[in-house]
Amino acid sequence: MSDLNPILSGSVQSIAAYQEAIEQSTQAVVQWLKQPEMYQGKTVAELRERINLEFTAQGLGNQAAIERAVEYFLKDSLSVHHPQCVAHLHCPSLVISQAAEVLINATNQSMDSWDQSPSATIIEIKLIEWLREQVGYTAGDAGVFTSGGTQSNLMGLMLARDAFFARQGHSVQQHGLTGNLSKIKVLCSENAHFSVQKNMALMGLGYQSVTLVKTDQFSRMDLNDLKEKLAQAKANGEQVMAIVATAGTTDAGAIDPLADIAALAAEEQIWVHVDAAWGGALLLSEKYRHFLNGLELADSVTLDFHKQFFQTISCGAFLLKDARHYQLMRYQAAYLNSDFDEEQGVPNLVSKSLQTTRRFDALKLWMGLEALGKKQYAEIIDNGVTLAQQVAQFVVEQPQLELVMHPQLASVLFRFRPENGDTAGVALLNQRIGDALLASGAANVGVTEADGVTCLKLTLLNPVVCLEDVKVLLASVIACGQQLHNA
Ligand SMILES: *Cc1c(COP(=O)(O)O)cnc(C)c1O
């Protein structure tokens, strides 16, 4: 039986099988990386037809299963590292992040309790301490790694809600929601991430609890409208449980005026959560760190490392300014984080997380920081911001293109604009350009709306992409647009 044992262990057979399977997989990845195309261009229908599970009685064995994954998954994957792959906040990954994944996966530590991840728990705690320092929080370890921005935003909103009820002497954790719930509001800008809405619905307060604050011409929260919305809420007998400010909106990369928002919120004892899923990358920047001034005033912060920190998915963090608020989600499970453990000072991170079993994603950022060092990490982050400015300048110089908004982080919003195109026609045309480029496998550009204007979006995270690469992409946008327009 032992030579058939499929489990990873220290046995001679298992180690041999592990090395073979990993070797075969990395060889396949190397071949895939060498593929020149961004995407093979298969349609939804073609992939549905092609991809089928082969779950046989005897099993195919590791080698055949890997071969099938290469054939049906790898070959038709999107090359996220390709210079023409710039649609989303979806980053190419660091080599060191790949190495970290090998260690994370093979050890399979679980971050819920110290006895399932002893050294990993300490590394995560030290990294949270370090991240708090970068943000400008006081020393401490209140915070945790998460699956990403959506979960971090949920933690911020949930603790804000529970702190709001706690101030009125009510424990949501014990007794659930109470009172006239339609009067409880969250304010965020029109350009805040949709996870605010989804999370409020999940928390039992519904989309109706989200009041959208207007934005200025750069998609940043408009402070006058924020004051107005706060005054209106008061006049309507509503209570604002939180303001969500965004540091780096998903399309425009806009950073709300963090310090001013915090000052307004402080007057009324309102929780401020800053969604810095994207803009948080500037914590490491040399040139642009000051864009985040005021972040340290937030009650809680979302950071994502699988965006402009170039870590593999998933890797995010939630930081909480005042550790006492963690009491609001306290749950003591006898088998994981008992009082006994806590009295002994044993750190069981389940107490800080919504998840129970949890990956050791922190190792990726830890190794990334150590491997790259401050200077190189800053450079690869700053590169995208600087490149976006250069690309915007180039777009302005092209008669067939129109810059829709001046870039703030690493994205460029623009559109193809034929001479005799009407508004509706231009919107549809830009949508079709995006679709046609992906279908051809040549490029993946984003299609979105800015202030009601349908436009194309380049998210220029990839630090090895240069202006010349983007010029090639823009030439295909123009060629494709011209062709569709003339057709
Ligand atoms: C990407 C993003 C999110 C969601 O984060 P996930 O990691 O995808 O869950 C939230 N907010 C902003 C501003 C984002 O850009």
Side-chain angles (χ1 to χ4, degrees):
M1 184 66 200
S2 67
D3 57 334
L4 293 176
N5 186 348
I7 299 292
L8 178 62
S9 77
S11 77
V12 173
Q13 292 87 344
S14 177
I15 288 172
Y18 173 70
Q19 286 182 315
E20 243 171 65
I22 295 294
E23 176 65 18
Q24 187 188 346
S25 301
T26 44
Q27 285 300 332
V29 167
V30 168
Q31 291 311 312
W32 173 71
L33 287 169
K34 289 180 181 169
Q35 261 181 212
E37 298 87 5
M38 186 205 67
Y39 179 54
Q40 303 290 334
K42 292 211 179 66
T43 63
V44 176
E46 283 167 342
L47 287 182
R48 267 191 202 282
E49 170 66 28
R50 185 173 147 73
I51 298 175
N52 291 296
L53 177 67
E54 214 162 296
F55 186 32
T56 60
Q58 300 306 321
L60 305 174
N62 291 349
Q63 192 183 338
I66 295 167
E67 280 165 9
R68 279 178 47 80
V70 172
E71 185 61 26
Y72 296 103
F73 162 60
L74 211 52
K75 284 190 180 166
D76 291 310
S77 286
L78 188 76
S79 295
V80 292
H81 52 275
H82 195 284
Q84 317 290 343
C85 187
V86 291
H88 298 284
L89 276 169
H90 182 182
C91 63
S93 60
L94 297 173
V95 171
I96 192 70
S97 191
Q98 298 296 335
E101 289 284 11
V102 172
L103 304 181
I104 294 164
N105 294 333
T107 54
N108 205 30
Q109 307 290 287
S110 183
M111 304 310 292
D112 37 344
S113 62
W114 185 77
D115 68 349
Q116 299 179 81
S117 53
S119 51
T121 293
I122 304 304
I123 288 176
E124 174 163 332
I125 290 172
K126 294 215 167 183
L127 197 49
I128 290 288
E129 289 170 348
W130 182 84
L131 285 167
R132 290 178 59 93
E133 250 175 67
Q134 305 310 303
V135 163
Y137 277 174
T138 53
D141 60 7
V144 74
F145 272 71
T146 66
S147 59
T150 303
Q151 187 187 152
S152 299
N153 285 347
L154 175 58
M155 293 189 77
L157 287 166
M158 191 189 81
L159 293 176
R161 178 196 66 182
D162 296 356
F164 167 85
F165 278 99
R167 281 202 296 277
Q168 299 163 27
H170 179 81
S171 165
V172 174
Q173 196 190 27
Q174 292 298 327
H175 305 293
L177 298 170
T178 186
N180 187 351
L181 301 180
S182 67
K183 294 288 187 193
I184 299 173
K185 301 292 174 191
V186 164
L187 303 188
C188 64
S189 94
E190 288 167 344
N191 293 300
H193 192 260
F194 63 83
S195 56
V196 175
Q197 271 88 345
K198 281 175 79 168
N199 286 329
M200 292 309 289
L202 188 65
M203 284 161 47
L205 294 163
Y207 291 171
Q208 67 84 35
S209 64
V210 183
T211 300
L212 297 181
V213 179
K214 287 187 191 143
T215 49
D216 65 13
Q217 79 267 33
F218 292 115
S219 287
R220 298 173 299 204
M221 187 185 282
D222 180 304
L223 276 179
N224 287 325
D225 194 54
L226 174 61
K227 286 179 199 158
E228 176 97 350
K229 293 279 157 50
L230 285 168
Q232 272 173 19
K234 235 182 221 166
N236 296 339
E238 295 165 354
Q239 289 179 297
V240 178
M241 63 161 241
I243 300 173
V244 178
T246 311
T249 59
T250 309
D251 283 336
I255 298 176
D256 290 340
L258 304 178
D260 293 333
I261 292 169
L264 274 176
E267 286 172 21
E268 320 227 357
Q269 272 205 314
I270 298 171
W271 186 291
V272 176
H273 176 75
V274 176
D275 177 357
W278 184 8
L282 299 186
L283 287 173
L284 296 191
S285 167
E286 286 184 359
K287 288 192 207 154
Y288 308 109
R289 171 63 180 86
H290 63 280
F291 285 11
L292 298 177
N293 286 348
L295 182 62
E296 70 283 359
L297 303 170
D299 294 284
S300 53
V301 173
T302 287
L303 298 173
D304 245 359
F305 307 108
H306 55 222
K307 288 181 174 166
Q308 213 170 346
F309 283 93
F310 308 102
Q311 298 298 341
T312 54
I313 299 164
S314 57
C315 197
F318 169 75
L319 300 179
L320 181 63
K321 181 159 69 179
D322 183 345
R324 283 172 303 182
H325 286 124
Y326 256 136
Q327 288 301 321
L328 295 164
M329 55 176 278
R330 185 181 165 86
Y331 190 95
Q332 235 64 39
Y335 76 102
L336 282 181
N337 58 341
S338 63
D339 282 331
F340 181 79
D341 263 10
E342 276 192 9
E343 280 158 21
Q344 312 283 314
V346 177
N348 294 311
L349 294 182
V350 70
S351 305
K352 295 178 173 176
S353 176
L354 294 177
Q355 290 174 258
T356 305
T357 302
R358 186 162 59 84
R359 285 171 54 83
F360 180 32
D361 289 315
L363 185 65
K364 295 184 280 191
L365 180 63
W366 179 276
M367 289 172 66
L369 294 167
E370 290 198 342
L372 272 67
K374 280 184 198 166
K375 196 160 177 294
Q376 197 184 2
Y377 225 139
E379 272 169 16
I380 63 172
I381 289 166
D382 287 349
N383 181 78
V385 184
T386 308
L387 178 61
Q389 292 162 6
Q390 294 166 352
V391 170
Q393 184 54 41
F394 181 76
V395 165
V396 167
E397 291 160 7
Q398 308 310 303
Q400 304 96 325
L401 301 179
E402 179 188 28
L403 187 68
V404 170
M405 194 182 298
H406 196 75
Q408 297 165 77
L409 286 180
S411 63
V412 181
L413 298 172
F414 71 106
R415 59 181 178 163
F416 177 73
R417 187 93 211 241
E419 270 167 32
N420 52 349
D422 60 279
T423 310
V426 171
L428 183 61
L429 183 56
N430 280 277
Q431 177 72 57
R432 289 175 61 207
I433 292 172
D435 295 350
L437 288 174
L438 181 61
S440 75
N444 195 13
V445 301
V447 181
T448 189
E449 269 184 33
D451 262 334
V453 175
T454 299
C455 57
L456 299 174
K457 174 173 76 162
L458 310 181
T459 311
L460 302 167
L461 302 181
N462 192 338
V464 303
V465 168
C466 61
L467 184 58
E468 290 310 311
D469 296 313
V470 185
K471 285 182 183 174
V472 170
L473 175 57
L474 292 173
S476 28
V477 166
I478 292 171
C480 178
Q482 214 70 59
Q483 200 183 5
L484 289 168
H485 183 59
N486 296 338

